Amino acid sequence: MKEVIGSPGTASGLVLRIGQCAFAAASIGIMASANGFSSYTAFCYLIASMGLQLLWSFGLACLDVYALRRKRDLQNPVLVSLFVVGDWVTAMLSLAAACSSAGVVVLYARDMTICRDHRAIPCSRFEISILLAFLTWLLIGISSHVMFWILASV
């Protein structure tokens, strides 16, 4: 079978999972360091979603490291089915969290000009965290797309 870039148990799959972990952790760190983020449900949801993504990606990165060190093939139908479901669930949760948080920031920054009027609200940190969440989702989207095609071929 042809090896697809981003497949589980490959170096490219490990890089993809490490990227997901890094962006999710950075999104959590920046959002958690912003004062008053817990006042907004969308931002709390973003942290929860990125936390789940971080755990999922870290677990799969560890599995990739194991497969690379032991030269194991992770492309059996049961494992790939689990990867597909996990990636799609975390992708949908991450996209929903990033979009809802972006909606709050757009409302405050553009529509109501609260960010300009109240300098105590760290809107720039919120925006950076949301950008990182969207980058995380982009990597999850790539991963879930790859897993779907692998499942179709296994």
Side-chain angles (χ1 to χ4, degrees):
M1 184 173 87
K2 186 177 177 183
E3 186 176 305
V4 180
I5 295 175
S7 300
T10 63
S12 61
L14 178 61
V15 169
L16 190 62
R17 296 299 179 175
I18 288 172
Q20 292 171 10
C21 287
F23 284 127
S27 178
I28 291 169
I30 291 172
M31 184 62 76
S33 70
N35 291 332
F37 80 91
S38 60
S39 301
Y40 307 99
T41 305
F43 297 158
C44 293
Y45 177 51
L46 180 73
I47 285 187
S49 173
M50 289 295 110
L52 176 66
Q53 181 59 50
L54 180 66
L55 292 173
W56 175 254
S57 296
F58 181 73
L60 291 184
C62 290
L63 193 59
D64 284 341
V65 168
Y66 171 78
L68 286 169
R69 294 194 82 195
R70 300 286 182 167
K71 297 186 183 351
R72 303 272 179 171
D73 183 24
L74 296 179
Q75 295 188 11
N76 69 47
V78 174
L79 274 178
V80 173
S81 297
L82 177 70
F83 296 158
V84 166
V85 170
D87 275 351
W88 280 61
V89 167
T90 57
M92 291 301 120
L93 290 173
S94 297
L95 179 61
C99 288
S100 64
S101 298
V104 170
V105 167
V106 166
L107 176 70
Y108 279 12
R110 307 267 189 248
D111 299 338
M112 297 174 60
T113 65
I114 289 176
C115 292
R116 193 173 353 136
D117 298 338
H118 303 285
R119 297 287 180 190
I121 298 175
C123 290
S124 61
R125 284 183 189 243
F126 295 155
E127 290 170 351
I128 292 169
S129 177
I130 293 165
L131 173 70
L132 292 169
F134 275 114
L135 291 173
T136 303
W137 173 76
L138 178 68
L139 293 176
I140 301 164
I142 292 169
S143 177
S144 62
H145 184 75
V146 167
M147 292 299 168
F148 179 75
W149 285 109
I150 291 172
L151 181 63
S153 68
V154 173

